[in-house]
Amino acid sequence: MNNIESSVYKINTANGTGTGFYSRENDIIITNYHVVAGCHTVSVKGKDKNRYLTQVLYVNPGKDIAFLRADSLPKPVDTVLLDHSTVSQTRDKVIVLGYPYGMPFTVTEGIVSNPRQSIGGSYFIQTDAAINPGNSGGPVINEKGELMGIVTSKFSDADNMGFAIPLETLKEELRVVNDLTNVFTLGCSNCGGLIEEKSDYCPNCGTNIDEKLFEEIELSDFSLKVEAAISKLDINPVLARSGRERWYFHQGSAEIRMFVYDNNYLFATSPLNDLPRKNLAEVYEYILTADTEPHRLSISDNQIYLSYRIHISDLYSDHTNEILENLAHLAIKADALDNTFVTKFGAEMTHYSK
């Protein structure tokens, strides 16, 4: 089980986060369509905390399935098993792997409540295993590591009712993998035909197609400004996106977080170090007297932070360029300061650090 975990990834987009898993047989990452909807490029993050630029190759909104490819991703040796003949049965034990609510990797267990629950004309595996937002796209496996299904949804007003797309549905979609190119491709939910060019109908069967399915969601002007600051660090902003108007990334060893606070402020912060057990007086004096302007050192929950806060309206003032520089410099300064606290005061890096 521990080896399989390395093939399950957190998927980060400008709209939110989800889960995906690597298929060695097909050299793709499998997830839900709704996890990557409106995106042609996303990032995936494994347990090593590294993020990898990932292309959305194929989506089938009707089946809620998407295939991704990350060329630079180190290929895991042990993966979820897709090539097997085990059939889900009522009361079978199942295990859900994923990143609920964008949290670190999590494992939950349950049983199959109904292996063929009919919803909206399609069959799903119903389970009582804990499933939450962020689990979407993750694998549901048995104790042998065999894939039973892909997490797709839960009833928000009911407990212990989660649903997974059955393996047989996924296998039907996997037949197209060898026909895919490096172009974003839409699968017709009616005939299964592959559509590479934007169209309002399927060239194969004539079914009406919503052209918006081919389009990437446009970022707000506010998001573009923040990403301009991230670009100053020679970081592709796609690699930093962690949900709507939320960016997490590493500058060297330091984790950097940028997000909207209280609907009015852009907050940038970095958890530098855990407070040391010794030399606290010296640490406090340094935090109070060190010249880090316009950034600010502080302590919260026994950790040392470097932070910067501005009112969102200031991004649209004459100080825009200065603010973007300050955001970028916070990341550079954080990468230096966490080492300073280690060497001068014996502090340790936080578990967020690389």
Side-chain angles (χ1 to χ4, degrees), residues 265-276:
Y265 297 94
L266 170 60
F267 198 75
T269 188
S270 176
L272 302 176
N273 305 85
D274 294 329
L275 272 178

Side-chain angles (χ1 to χ4, degrees), residues 74-191:
K75 302 302 186 285
V77 176
D78 298 298
T79 61
V80 174
L81 301 176
L82 277 65
D83 187 14
H84 65 86
S85 57
T86 305
V87 178
S88 293
Q89 303 289 340
T90 303
R91 292 186 295 277
D92 280 353
K93 180 180 177 179
V94 289
I95 301 165
V96 177
L97 311 178
Y99 294 83
Y101 294 109
M103 296 171 61
F105 182 82
T106 302
V107 178
T108 59
E109 298 181 355
I111 62 167
V112 174
S113 306
N114 187 336
R116 284 178 62 81
Q117 182 65 269
S118 178
I119 302 176
S122 299
Y123 289 108
F124 297 87
I125 298 172
Q126 181 182 335
T127 177
D128 67 353
I131 289 176
N132 293 290
N135 277 122
S136 292
V140 179
I141 63 175
N142 62 19
E143 292 181 290
K144 294 185 287 186
E146 297 171 335
L147 184 70
M148 296 289 101
I150 310 169
V151 174
T152 185
S153 65
K154 66 165 290 186
F155 284 164
S156 58
D157 56 351
D159 294 327
N160 305 322
M161 289 186 70
F163 300 93
I165 301 166
L167 175 60
E168 54 264 33
T169 302
L170 171 60
K171 285 185 173 180
E172 292 173 2
E173 292 300 296
L174 287 172
R175 294 172 185 168
V176 309
V177 170
N178 290 333
D179 296 323
L180 297 176
T181 65
N182 286 326
V183 177
F184 176 84
T185 302
L186 179 73
C188 176
S189 57
N190 185 52
C191 71

Side-chain angles (χ1 to χ4, degrees), residues 33-49:
Y33 161 71
H34 76 261
V35 170
V36 297
C39 302
H40 289 182
T41 309
V42 299
S43 74
V44 298
K45 178 182 178 182
K47 295 183 71 177
D48 62 1
K49 299 182 182 179

